[in-house]
Every structure is written in structure tokens, then in C-alpha cells.
Amino acid sequence: MYSITSTKKLHNGIEMPRFGLGVYKMTEPEEAFNAIKKALDTGYIAVDTAALYGNEKQVGEAVRASGKRREEIFITSKVWNTDQGYDETLRAFETTLKELDTDYLDLYLTHWPVPDKFMDTYRAIERLYEEKLIQVPGVSNHEIHHLEKIFAQANIQPMVNQVELHPYLTQEELRQFCQKHDIAITAWSPLGRGEVLKDETIRAIGEKYDKSIAQTIIRWHLQSDHIVIPKSVTPSRIEENAEIFDFELSQEDMKAIDGLNRDQRFGSHPDHFNY
């Protein structure tokens, strides 16, 4: 059984929390601070932010206000598309550290694979790793062909790939590729931007365990070996999303949820993103 502090050992031995708070669209500073602080007070030990989100400062403030030591909280951030390239990424990273008011990041990701830039961006992330300014180098929204290009050039492989992943988009081929190369998968939009919360199959499964659809989906992610970062600014929802460690889905129910895949995206496909 997992717990709220369960971790997954990454390629370099670093332990990354399997469960954390996503803070996308938390744009109102006080609301963002309160939500992050609530999550940390509830027992969350990971926060996933990005330069694009505009709330790195609130993440740093909430971590300090939580009373927890910096090394107890796993912080992820990402370099945005307009800041990509080798030198640009190094500068963007400096800004991220200042916003967070910390001297290192646990995980730093390329946000999207900007054509003609993502290779240089990852080269900069490698350098940050070599200089021990980040604990883990990674990418986000990278397809197999993007990863293969990085493998051909990189000295240090990406250790995490954060991608859209939910019961309607199970990304089986990409997941198998990443597993083969010891790249951990983090699911963004783990609830399918709320659309999957209407699914009657998952509702029926959740009722067997006296759990909500959201709790059932998050549990499915954990048992599928995905790192999962559900987002919410609602205190009760932040607590509810974490109440998933007192039950376990049967293999039959896992297969039923796996079978809901329809390759349906609610975000952009990396190959068709408007870069």
C-alpha cells in the first residue's frame, strides 16, 4: 500500500514523491498561497509549478510558512517555450530560483519540446544537473521521437517525462518506452480536465470502495505506477484527493479503467502545439 509520502526511486537514486499538488491556473496570489499551504499542512510533500503559471513565488512562500525544511518538500518547475535555448534556459532557471527563493530545484523540466530548441534546452538542464543546482533532469510533453533525439546527444538521460495522462488517454506505447528506459512518468491533467469525472464506469467502481470518482482515478494512477499531481484550490478537495491510501483497486477494476482509453486529449498534442 502507498502513503502520502510514498516515493519512486528515479534513475539516479533520488526518491520522488508519487503524489503531489499541481498548481496550474492558480493565478490569484493569496488563493495560490493558501491552497499550497493547505496541501503541505495536509501532508503533501511535493508541489509542481512552472514559470508559465506565475506562482513560483507563492510556492516558495508556502513552503517556508509550512514550517517544513526545504529538503522535505520536492519542488518541480519548468522552463517555458519563449525562454528555451541553451543560454535562455540558464537565465530562466536563475529567475525561477529567485522567485522560489531557494538555492536548488528538485526537478526541472522542459515544458514543451519547442522545435529547433528543445535539444539545446535539455543541454542546459544537463548542465544545471552537473552543477548540482537541480537534483533531477527531466522533460515534459515529449513523445518517443523527441526522447530518441535527446538520447542520441545527451550525456545524462531525462529521468522524468510529464505528460497528459488519464483514463481516456493512457499513453500505453509512450509509457512502455519510458519504462524500458527508466524514465518515470508524471501525469498532468490526471482527471482529464474534469471530463473523466463524468464517467459512469468509474463512478460505479468508486461506489464499491465508498470513494469519489476523483479518488478512484487518482488511485488508478498510483497503482499504474504514475506520479500524480491533481490540482485544486478548494481545501476540502485538497484533503479528499489525498484520501486514497486506505483502499486498493482490484485487478479487475484496474483493467476496467484501462479499457476506457479512447486516445482523447484535452490539451494539445506535442507535435501539433502552436509553438
Side-chain angles (χ1 to χ4, degrees):
M1 291 291 284
Y2 298 117
S3 73
I4 199 168
T5 57
S6 289
T7 57
K8 179 178 176 67
K9 184 174 283 191
L10 302 179
H11 184 72
N12 62 353
I14 293 291
E15 299 281 351
M16 180 173 178
R18 291 179 176 272
F19 175 82
L21 180 73
V23 298
Y24 178 50
K25 290 192 173 177
M26 291 190 192
T27 52
E28 202 286 307
E30 185 177 1
E31 183 179 62
F33 171 84
N34 288 336
I36 299 160
K37 176 72 162 46
K38 172 64 178 178
L40 296 174
D41 290 346
T42 301
Y44 288 59
I45 59 169
V47 182
D48 181 279
T49 185
L52 175 72
Y53 304 169
N55 53 27
E56 290 173 318
K57 183 178 180 184
Q58 285 71 44
V59 171
E61 288 173 346
V63 168
R64 287 187 292 281
S66 73
K68 293 180 167 65
R69 299 192 310 276
R70 168 65 186 89
E71 57 269 25
E72 293 180 277
I73 308 299
F74 193 101
I75 302 176
T76 299
S77 195
K78 314 171 193 78
V79 55
W80 183 238
N81 303 343
T82 51
D83 292 324
Q84 287 197 33
Y86 185 78
D87 292 333
E88 296 88 341
T89 296
L90 296 177
R91 283 196 292 272
F93 178 78
E94 284 184 22
T95 301
T96 282
L97 282 192
K98 284 177 186 170
E99 287 293 298
L100 288 163
D101 193 15
T102 186
D103 53 7
Y104 75 98
L105 259 188
D106 296 280
L107 172 61
Y108 198 46
L109 309 175
T110 310
H111 208 140
W112 290 85
V114 177
D116 302 325
K117 288 190 175 180
F118 74 93
M119 299 283 284
D120 286 337
T121 299
Y122 188 73
R123 237 179 5 105
I125 290 174
E126 274 190 291
R127 176 176 166 181
L128 294 169
Y129 178 66
E130 289 165 347
E131 293 182 354
K132 295 184 167 47
L133 291 168
I134 63 175
Q135 294 216 60
V136 182
V139 295
S140 190
N141 299 303
H142 279 43
E143 297 288 292
I144 291 172
H145 67 91
H146 298 120
L147 293 169
E148 287 176 334
K149 281 186 178 177
I150 288 176
F151 290 165
Q153 179 180 300
N155 296 315
I156 302 152
Q157 69 166 61
M159 300 177 195
V160 175
N161 188 14
Q162 185 178 133
V163 298
E164 182 179 354
L165 181 56
H166 45 74
Y168 289 175
L169 181 71
T170 56
Q171 300 262 35
E172 189 62 36
E173 185 181 6
L174 178 60
R175 284 165 54 199
Q176 287 183 9
F177 179 89
C178 288
Q179 183 178 27
K180 177 182 175 183
H181 293 280
D182 201 17
I183 299 172
I185 288 277
T186 299
W188 68 256
S189 193
L191 306 177
R193 293 199 171 161
E195 290 301 310
V196 188
L197 296 177
K198 304 168 187 173
D199 192 274
E200 291 303 320
T201 297
I202 302 175
R203 182 190 304 278
I205 289 171
E207 285 174 354
K208 292 197 292 185
Y209 301 91
D210 195 25
K211 292 294 179 179
S212 70
I213 297 178
Q215 289 170 322
T216 306
I217 295 170
I218 296 168
R219 184 70 206 188
W220 169 81
H221 279 290
L222 281 177
Q223 289 181 221
S224 300
D225 199 28
H226 312 152
I227 292 161
V228 61
I229 46 171
K231 64 181 175 66
S232 180
V233 295
T234 308
S236 60
R237 191 67 51 77
I238 289 169
E239 289 183 348
E240 180 189 302
N241 287 345
E243 291 169 356
I244 48 157
F245 302 105
D246 58 353
F247 77 110
E248 186 169 354
L249 295 168
S250 69
Q251 283 302 110
E252 181 184 19
D253 290 332
M254 288 292 293
K255 286 178 182 175
I257 298 174
D258 289 341
L260 298 172
N261 178 55
R262 53 182 79 162
D263 292 331
Q264 181 178 6
R265 291 179 185 270
F266 299 105
S268 298
H269 190 292
D271 290 335
H272 306 129
F273 192 91
N274 185 17
Y275 295 103

